[in-house]
Amino acid sequence: MSGNKIRILDGGMGTMLQSLGLPLGGVPEVWNITEPERIQSVHEAYLAAGSEIVYTNTFGANRYKMAATGYSVSELISAAVANAKKACSSHPGTKVALDIGPIGKMLAPLGDLAFEDAYDMFKEQVLAGSDADYIVIETMSDLYETKAALLAAKENSDKPVLVTMSFEANARTFTGTGIDCMALTLSGLGADAIGFNCSLGPAELAPMVRRLYELTELPLVLKPNAGLPDPVTNTYNIGPEEFADLVGELLPYGIAYVGGCCGTNPSYIAALKKRTEAFEASDERPELPAKVTFSGICSSTDAVWFTEPRVIGERINPTGKKRFQEALRNADMDYILSQALSQVSAGADILDVNVGCPGVDEKTMMVNVIRELQAVVSVPLQIDSNDPEVIEAALRAYNGRALVNSVNGEEKSLSAILPIVKRYGAAVVGLTLDEGGIPPMAEDRFKIAEKIVSRAEAVGIPRKDLQIDCLTLTAGAQQEAAAETVKALAKVRKELGTGAVLGVSNISFGLPNRELVNSTFLAMALQSGLTLPIMNPNSEAMMGTIRAYRLLANLDQHAVAFSEAYRDFVPAAAAKKPGAETVAAPVKDEAEGKIREELGDKAAELYAAVVSGLSERGANLTEELIAEKDPMQLVNGVLIPALDTVGAGYEKGRIFLPQLILSASVVQGAFARIKERLNKDGAEKVSKGTIVLATVKGDIHDIGKNIVKVLLENYGFTVIDLGKDVPVEAVVKAAKESGAPLVGLSALMTTTLGSMEETIRALKEAGLSCKTVVGGAVLTPEYAARIGADYYGADAKATVDIAKEVFHC
């Protein structure tokens, strides 16, 4: 018999309300006040089918989406909770969950919504729904927005919080978040259960459920769609019994809450209830995979697990670096970001971020630098400060799970920093020093490490999330200290089982040939169990030591990484041999090399700025270049090729939506300056042509359409954006008046695909020669052809490619 009771959730709300008369484009949340009996009837139907927890009809009940309804968030949510409570009153033991969905605006840097503003919106919802029994945060695709919602729930309520995100078939969300990153971040932030809902059916979600089970000790939530949508019939492709059977196969994988999402109704919940009861009554269980026992950190897209030595880049640190100190005082973000990009390119797995500098507001600067860094690099960050206020501000602003450097053995440090680390679910570095300074002997450093581990575990931080720094002293002044550091490190690894950090480069301060000393000490430390060397990844000797160690320790299977790093290696002696052919360094980016050859170094730097997402540098370089080059030459020879490079990376899954949008914003700034110059000179405006965009009648989802708009504009097209829920006549009028050769139509719901077909038919009946491109999660290429569309845009980049074809550019 299963020891844990699985709670049955409800099914879809939207389609149930439409069957009760909610018009296309209507706001479901308003019915909480105007049609309470109908809302209650939906809850009643699910409760009768076996639901034990019903979600309130508040998915979009936030300040942004409800602004035009005439009702406050508090009024709508209070009414919704009351409706659900009334339905539950006749079903003893059942509970109400406050349902919170995405705001509908993208958070910076993808959009213009600040994290703090998102938090305030979610807080308003949480407080308004205080009478609910649970809080559910669902259908999230942006990890940063999910974090804002979860913090708002945990900091303003004592209710259990269930969090589910929506993943695509590539096991990433719309914004590129992977399952590992979701698990690391949400588990650390205190969610009571995590999982998946919407987007996919149970068959497609099965491998993702199994992976999530491995990554977290938390109970799992599963609320799949009824398979995949069929745009022809406006239905989903699996029925109640098949749905229940497919979900039933996943119940052993830690599922504690289960229900349905789009396309499901009470019949699905009844079948699921029956299948769940059979599972709970049975003793048969499949052999489950082992849980992950090691720790890791992550950004919103990339996770770094501490399974082998990982390089922490040390260059974002003002200590001993006058140029970096100057950059901090002048808020020169481009210089700081260039240091980050250089280190990542050289092989850093994690970047240390230290901005403590006289004359600089450390807390403000730390938050700003973290946000800027996370917009241009995907590796996780180590927050390096000993100021608790700075650490907390940084952890709050961070998108993912960070490593904190550091806490130490002083009582003041332990009591102030460890609770902050626990609150935000971070990993932490512990320095083996205390009120007496750094002990000279390994045994005494080990005792401090024991104290840190004990105190961390007392506040709920497991030792696997601790990295102990046994501290590197300068061999030039204390030659015997190197051996004591390595001895302490080995003892910590063997007896405490934590990870180990060292600032490797400190060993050689004041000595000649520092790189030789550093790389040799690094090899000694690696052999003794070092997991996280803090070092300069731009040092070829140091990175060579790391690569060779990974190879010889059998961590680099089949020498794949080593061979890739040195495939063009030429021995120094051969390179210097008289008469030997000069071997040029390989060009990593052919397009950049071509631009450098044809338009010069500065143009190549502009190309690199776009690819890297450096907004300020891109704008400044454009300003300089338009004084020297034909502006259209920059557009066609630099900016568009740069966007094409980024787009190709997006299509291949090497970069994700945040990087795509950021590069587009760099081009937007460059275009602004080019347009100013052309307008001043009386030249033709920079535009490749006009495109009309609209989310069709009845559909109020416009995030996907907005992203398409941003990319099209930054490829040089003029976009007439008609917004969401656009009547057919408005689309026809805009196309006719503008003469736009291309009209783009978006729909997210199967129920609004009829509006899309009607709009296409109306454009043709009006005698317009424009082409149409359609897109949205529920569409397929086959259905696009069926309704008469000329093109199907699978995503924003595909739509840009279609526009380029239509406009012959």
Side-chain angles (χ1 to χ4, degrees), residues 76-226:
L76 293 168
I77 290 180
S78 296
V81 173
N83 289 331
K85 286 277 188 181
K86 185 172 182 180
C88 286
S89 64
S90 55
H91 298 269
T94 57
K95 302 293 183 181
V96 172
L98 172 66
D99 188 11
I100 296 176
I103 290 171
K105 292 187 73 175
M106 303 196 79
L107 272 68
L110 291 178
D112 59 2
L113 181 62
F115 178 86
E116 295 81 5
D117 293 336
Y119 174 90
D120 285 341
M121 289 188 190
F122 289 126
K123 177 181 177 180
E124 182 178 27
Q125 292 174 273
V126 169
L127 294 176
S130 60
D131 288 341
D133 305 298
Y134 289 80
I135 296 173
V136 169
I137 299 164
E138 66 161 337
T139 323
M140 291 290 183
S141 63
D142 182 352
L143 188 63
Y144 207 29
E145 182 177 20
T146 311
K147 176 177 180 175
L150 181 52
L151 284 175
K154 300 301 288 188
E155 293 175 354
N156 297 283
S157 170
D158 59 358
K159 306 291 192 298
V161 184
L162 283 53
V163 186
T164 54
M165 298 188 74
S166 294
F167 282 73
E168 299 182 351
N170 64 355
R172 287 188 179 271
T173 71
F174 178 55
T175 60
T177 294
I179 295 168
D180 293 36
C181 299
M182 177 185 79
L184 282 167
T185 304
L186 301 184
S187 298
L189 286 171
D192 295 281
I194 61 175
F196 308 98
N197 81 292
C198 205
S199 292
L200 300 169
E204 294 76 24
L205 284 173
M208 303 182 209
V209 170
R210 296 186 182 107
R211 175 59 179 166
L212 186 57
Y213 168 81
E214 296 173 8
L215 296 175
T216 183
E217 298 293 338
L218 290 178
L220 300 192
V221 187
L222 182 60
K223 231 179 178 233
N225 287 349

Side-chain angles (χ1 to χ4, degrees), residues 688-693 717-722 731-744 763 768-772 806-807:
K688 289 182 164 26
T690 300
I691 301 170
V692 172
L693 289 184
F717 296 101
T718 298
V719 176
I720 299 173
D721 182 7
L722 301 180
V731 178
V732 173
K733 181 181 178 184
K736 186 180 295 184
E737 291 179 351
S738 67
L742 182 62
V743 174
L763 288 167
L768 299 175
S769 60
C770 58
K771 301 291 186 181
T772 52
V806 170
F807 288 90

Side-chain angles (χ1 to χ4, degrees), residues 571-596:
K576 294 178 180 179
K577 186 177 180 180
E581 182 180 350
T582 301
V583 180
V587 177
K588 294 183 179 179
D589 189 325
E590 292 182 8
E592 182 178 349
K594 183 179 179 183
I595 291 169
R596 190 178 302 278

Side-chain angles (χ1 to χ4, degrees), residues 349-644:
D349 301 296
I350 301 162
L351 295 180
D352 181 75
V353 184
N354 184 317
V355 298
C357 181
V360 172
D361 180 342
E362 186 183 1
K363 183 165 75 170
T364 300
M365 180 60 72
M366 177 66 85
V367 170
N368 290 342
V369 168
I370 283 174
R371 286 176 173 165
E372 293 280 351
L373 283 172
Q374 289 203 285
V376 301
V377 297
S378 59
V379 299
L381 304 181
Q382 172 174 269
I383 295 163
D384 189 350
S385 177
N386 58 11
D387 185 330
E389 286 191 15
V390 173
I391 291 171
E392 177 155 23
L395 288 175
R396 198 169 187 85
Y398 186 76
N399 188 4
R401 187 190 199 219
L403 177 62
V404 171
N405 185 8
S406 58
V407 68
N408 62 52
E410 296 181 17
E411 180 58 36
K412 179 181 178 181
S413 176
L414 292 166
S415 59
I417 291 175
L418 288 178
I420 297 172
V421 170
K422 170 61 179 174
R423 186 180 312 141
Y424 291 95
V428 63
V429 173
L431 305 183
T432 55
L433 62 85
D434 58 15
E435 290 83 354
I438 303 173
M441 306 306 294
E443 282 292 339
D444 295 321
R445 294 188 210 178
F446 179 80
K447 289 177 182 177
I448 297 175
E450 281 187 307
K451 178 182 179 181
I452 294 171
V453 171
S454 175
R455 291 290 294 273
E457 289 184 325
V459 300
I461 301 171
R463 67 177 60 200
K464 70 176 183 177
D465 289 336
L466 281 159
Q467 300 285 330
I468 297 297
D469 188 342
C470 292
L471 298 171
T472 306
L473 301 179
T474 304
Q478 297 170 276
Q479 193 167 340
E480 71 285 355
E484 290 298 318
T485 295
V486 172
K487 181 180 175 182
L489 186 158
K491 188 174 178 65
V492 162
R493 293 286 285 136
K494 181 179 180 181
E495 298 184 27
L496 294 183
T498 68
V501 177
L502 277 181
V504 178
S505 303
N506 293 341
I507 195 72
S508 64
F509 185 77
L511 291 173
N513 200 350
R514 293 190 64 185
E515 196 167 57
L516 175 61
V517 178
N518 290 344
S519 57
T520 303
F521 179 65
L522 174 61
M524 293 170 61
L526 288 168
Q527 186 60 27
S528 298
L530 178 63
T531 51
L532 296 179
I534 303 175
M535 53 180 257
N536 180 8
N538 298 110
S539 165
E540 182 51 46
M542 298 283 280
M543 287 304 297
T545 300
I546 292 287
R547 296 185 187 109
Y549 176 82
R550 287 172 174 164
L551 168 71
L552 298 174
N554 201 29
L555 298 169
D556 178 8
Q557 293 288 315
H558 308 294
V560 172
F562 189 87
S563 300
E564 175 64 22
Y566 295 109
R567 63 181 177 181
D568 298 307
F569 175 73
V570 177
K576 294 178 180 179
K577 186 177 180 180
E581 182 180 350
T582 301
V583 180
V587 177
K588 294 183 179 179
D589 189 325
E590 292 182 8
E592 182 178 349
K594 183 179 179 183
I595 291 169
R596 190 178 302 278
E597 182 179 327
E598 295 180 354
L599 298 174
D601 290 346
K602 196 173 293 183
E605 291 173 19
L606 174 58
Y607 170 92
V610 174
V611 172
S612 301
L614 299 177
S615 300
E616 186 177 341
R617 181 156 180 75
N620 292 338
L621 285 166
T622 303
E623 196 75 52
E624 295 174 19
L625 281 163
I626 56 178
E628 308 168 7
K629 307 284 186 186
D630 175 6
M632 291 309 299
Q633 192 177 30
L634 297 180
V635 171
N636 296 316
V638 181
L639 299 177
I640 298 304
L643 277 180
D644 286 341

Side-chain angles (χ1 to χ4, degrees), residues 50-63:
S51 293
E52 298 163 279
I53 301 173
V54 293
Y55 288 16
T56 56
N57 178 37
T58 54
F59 179 78
N62 62 67
R63 196 185 311 158

